[in-house]
Amino acid sequence: MKKTLIAWLFALAPLAALGAGGSGWPLDRVQLDLADSASLQRGAQLYMNYCMGCHSLEHARYERTANDLGIPVDLFEKYLKFDASAKIGDLMQNAMATRDGKQWFGAAPPDLTLIARARGPEWLYTYLRTFYADPSRPYGVNNKVFPDVGMPHMLLELQGMQECAPGPAHAANGGVLRDPLTGEEKLYGDDGKPLNPCGRLKVAQPGSMEPAEYDKAMRDLVNFLTYVGEPIQLKRQSIGIYALLFLAVFFVFAWLLNREYWKDVH
């Protein structure tokens, strides 16, 4: 039993590292609603305007996405499909060649159709909100859940530029280090230097959105990417309910039939 438990822990460790990005930065919870058409539409608008230039959705189609999100096909084609050569029934691919992506960014930007399923919504939500200024990086930014990220902050005009600020340090017991007299978080050491120089992020150069507004926009974007990763998710859940109801009714008849067969067997 003990060996089996240890084996399971080793098997799940890589998944935990993937979800957390290996950075140790805590992931923020996000409440998604795939039945919220307005949220999905806003998320699609953000994706097509800010992400589609580099990241394709090559396992999704324009027409299917428009129909699922409740967007008239003609409006989707006019305002959200920027590739004039693509037809409304085509897969959602961009015009960036893999060779160009490698040359410009060091690695070709990945397709994001399944990113929400691979990383998890919480990882995506936190990633999109934790870019910060880092002059040592090629594009002048870094990310808390994806250290040394190789992409620029494409949503900079919306969020603005964040900078590092002193944050809480860890105590010996694994909790937050606090002042023994006041109980407040201890941010600076006895030498006056920050104990955790980049434990928090603060907006240094505001963008076009307030922080709460930007968080809501990122929730919409993650909601859309979660839908794209499994467009049939809501239908699958409803089918699952009917399947469980069928099994419950079938169990009653199966139990009655079993009792009838075995009533004379003693």
Side-chain angles (χ1 to χ4, degrees):
M1 181 66 181
K2 185 176 181 181
K3 292 182 178 179
T4 303
L5 180 60
I6 294 175
W8 271 104
L9 291 175
F10 276 106
L12 294 175
L15 298 179
L18 177 65
S23 65
W25 187 265
L27 302 183
D28 298 322
R29 295 184 61 85
V30 57
Q31 296 294 330
L32 303 181
D33 183 3
L34 297 182
D36 187 348
S37 297
S39 172
L40 293 173
Q41 292 170 7
R42 292 191 297 267
Q45 181 183 25
L46 284 168
Y47 190 91
M48 300 305 289
N49 280 281
Y50 292 95
C51 309
M52 190 65 177
C54 296
H55 300 281
S56 62
L57 297 172
E58 60 185 22
H59 301 296
R61 295 184 183 274
Y62 291 105
E63 188 173 18
R64 166 69 186 272
T65 302
N67 291 334
D68 286 351
L69 270 56
I71 304 174
V73 172
D74 57 335
L75 294 181
F76 192 100
E77 190 168 14
K78 182 177 181 181
Y79 295 108
L80 295 178
K81 185 177 75 64
F82 300 118
D83 185 356
S85 63
K87 298 180 180 180
I88 192 64
D90 288 349
L91 296 171
M92 299 170 68
Q93 298 177 333
N94 58 23
M96 179 183 292
T98 301
R99 179 180 60 185
D100 293 336
K102 290 181 179 180
Q103 181 178 354
W104 297 336
F105 301 106
D111 177 86
L112 297 185
T113 313
L114 301 176
I115 188 64
R117 298 185 68 177
R119 290 286 192 177
E122 288 79 12
W123 188 94
L124 269 180
Y125 180 66
T126 309
Y127 169 78
L128 292 168
R129 296 163 50 254
T130 53
F131 279 90
Y132 64 97
D134 184 353
S136 67
R137 299 298 300 156
Y139 296 102
V141 293
N142 211 327
N143 191 277
K144 276 298 181 181
V145 299
F146 197 149
D148 298 335
V149 63
M151 65 171 281
H153 186 10
M154 297 305 298
L155 299 164
L156 177 63
E157 67 171 344
L158 302 180
Q159 184 185 28
M161 179 60 75
Q162 296 188 121
E163 292 183 350
C164 287
H170 292 291
N173 61 1
V176 176
L177 184 63
R178 298 182 180 277
D179 189 288
L181 297 178
T182 64
E184 296 180 353
E185 295 177 352
K186 191 172 182 180
L187 303 180
Y188 299 90
D190 296 335
D191 56 0
K193 295 182 179 180
L195 297 173
N196 187 1
C198 199
R200 287 195 175 98
L201 299 177
K202 63 177 183 179
V203 177
Q205 302 174 14
S208 61
M209 292 182 173
E210 295 294 328
E213 186 182 6
Y214 181 78
D215 290 348
K216 182 180 178 181
M218 293 306 99
R219 182 255 184 190
D220 294 336
L221 180 53
V222 173
N223 206 25
F224 170 71
L225 286 171
T226 302
Y227 149 76
V228 170
E230 190 180 0
I232 201 173
Q233 184 173 157
L234 288 180
K235 186 175 182 180
R236 172 178 58 78
Q237 292 172 354
S238 64
I239 292 174
I241 294 174
Y242 287 113
L244 291 174
L245 290 175
F246 168 79
L247 291 175
V249 174
F250 176 78
F251 172 79
V252 174
F253 288 99
W255 179 79
L256 292 174
L257 181 61
N258 179 77
R259 188 181 66 172
E260 183 67 22
Y261 278 141
W262 288 89
K263 68 179 181 179
D264 297 327
V265 179
H266 301 286

